[in-house]
């Protein structure tokens, strides 16, 4: 989570720029505030297990990130953390299963499917590639985010723009790819 917060901090301006084209220009600032709060909470109340880290981070994102991103990211992390349970160590296949459960919860909450130009377009390929390697997951998530550029948004604020959403990268998919990049960075 600390690595994710660092990447979000570095990329906040770009996330806001992407969001200004098809959203309300606050994604970078919201994610930056949320992940800074996550780091502060984890430092002051260190959870004992990987699952508890994700549940705590998800809860913090829900309470500090505005718009739809807080509930969506919070749901992703909380559900993944609950799936991991109380294990003191987590294998990559267990993490993959947990994140798969988290993505499914996000899909249910937001009603998004692949190709709707949402965070799901980066999350799904990232989770699927996690079985190959953490680097492959980061690359697949980044490719998923880039693949949103030619899409017409079907969900979220960008969907109100209709055809005008085409040609812009989805900020939620981009921030989702940052999570996989952070995971790969920490594992190196």
């Amino acid at each position: 989570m600390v690595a994710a917060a660092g990447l979000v901090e570095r990329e906040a301006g770009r996330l806001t720029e992407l969001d200004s084209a098809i959203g309300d220009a606050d994604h970078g600032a919201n994610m930056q505030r949320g992940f800074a709060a996550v780091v502060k909470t984890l430092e002051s109340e260190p959870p004992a297990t990987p699952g508890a880290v994700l549940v705590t981070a998800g809860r913090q994102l829900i309470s500090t990130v505005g718009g739809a991103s807080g509930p969506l990211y919070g749901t992703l992390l909380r559900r993944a953390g609950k799936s991991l349970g109380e294990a003191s160590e987590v294998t990559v296949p267990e993490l993959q299963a947990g994140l798969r459960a988290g993505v499914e919860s996000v899909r249910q909450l937001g009603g998004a499917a692949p190709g709707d130009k949402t965070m799901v377009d980066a999350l799904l390929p990232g989770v699927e590639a996690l079985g190959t390697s953490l680097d492959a997951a980061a690359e697949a998530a980044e490719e998923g985010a880039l693949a949103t550029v030619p899409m017409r948004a079907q969900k979220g604020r960008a969907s109100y723009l209709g055809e005008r959403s085409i040609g812009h990268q989805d900020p939620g998919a981009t921030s989702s790819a940052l999570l996989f990049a952070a995971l790969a960075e920490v594992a190196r």
Side-chain angles (χ1 to χ4, degrees):
M1 290 291 102
V2 172
L7 282 177
V8 167
E9 174 79 26
R10 286 194 301 273
E11 296 292 326
R14 184 170 78 105
L15 293 173
T16 294
E17 182 180 319
L18 292 172
D19 195 35
S20 67
I22 60 174
D24 50 7
D26 65 353
H27 189 65
N30 283 341
M31 294 298 287
Q32 188 176 22
R33 181 178 58 254
F35 275 91
V38 165
V39 169
K40 186 175 180 180
T41 298
L42 293 176
E43 287 173 347
S44 68
E45 308 165 27
T49 65
V53 167
L54 295 180
V55 169
T56 300
R59 186 175 49 242
Q60 191 62 45
L61 289 174
I62 288 171
S63 68
T64 57
V65 176
S69 295
L72 291 170
Y73 275 101
T75 295
L76 171 71
L77 297 178
R78 288 178 68 213
R79 180 64 184 99
K82 287 179 184 177
S83 177
L84 295 177
E86 298 300 318
S88 60
E89 292 185 15
V90 176
T91 65
V92 172
E94 290 167 338
L95 178 61
Q96 183 181 33
L99 288 173
R100 189 174 284 127
V103 172
E104 189 53 39
S105 292
V106 166
R107 289 184 66 190
Q108 290 172 1
L109 179 63
D116 282 347
K117 195 177 186 115
T118 69
M119 64 193 296
V120 169
D121 293 305
L123 290 173
L124 277 176
V127 168
E128 291 311 311
L130 200 53
T132 302
S133 73
L134 297 176
D135 285 330
E139 186 176 315
E142 178 64 24
E143 289 172 5
L146 292 172
T148 64
V149 172
M151 295 177 184
R152 179 176 184 232
Q154 303 298 314
K155 297 288 180 191
R157 183 177 292 275
S159 68
Y160 303 144
L161 298 175
E163 297 291 324
R164 291 179 296 157
S165 68
I166 296 171
H168 301 281
Q169 187 169 326
D170 183 71
T174 305
S175 59
S176 293
L178 293 177
L179 297 182
F180 284 98
L183 188 59
E185 182 182 293
V186 169
R188 289 188 190 116

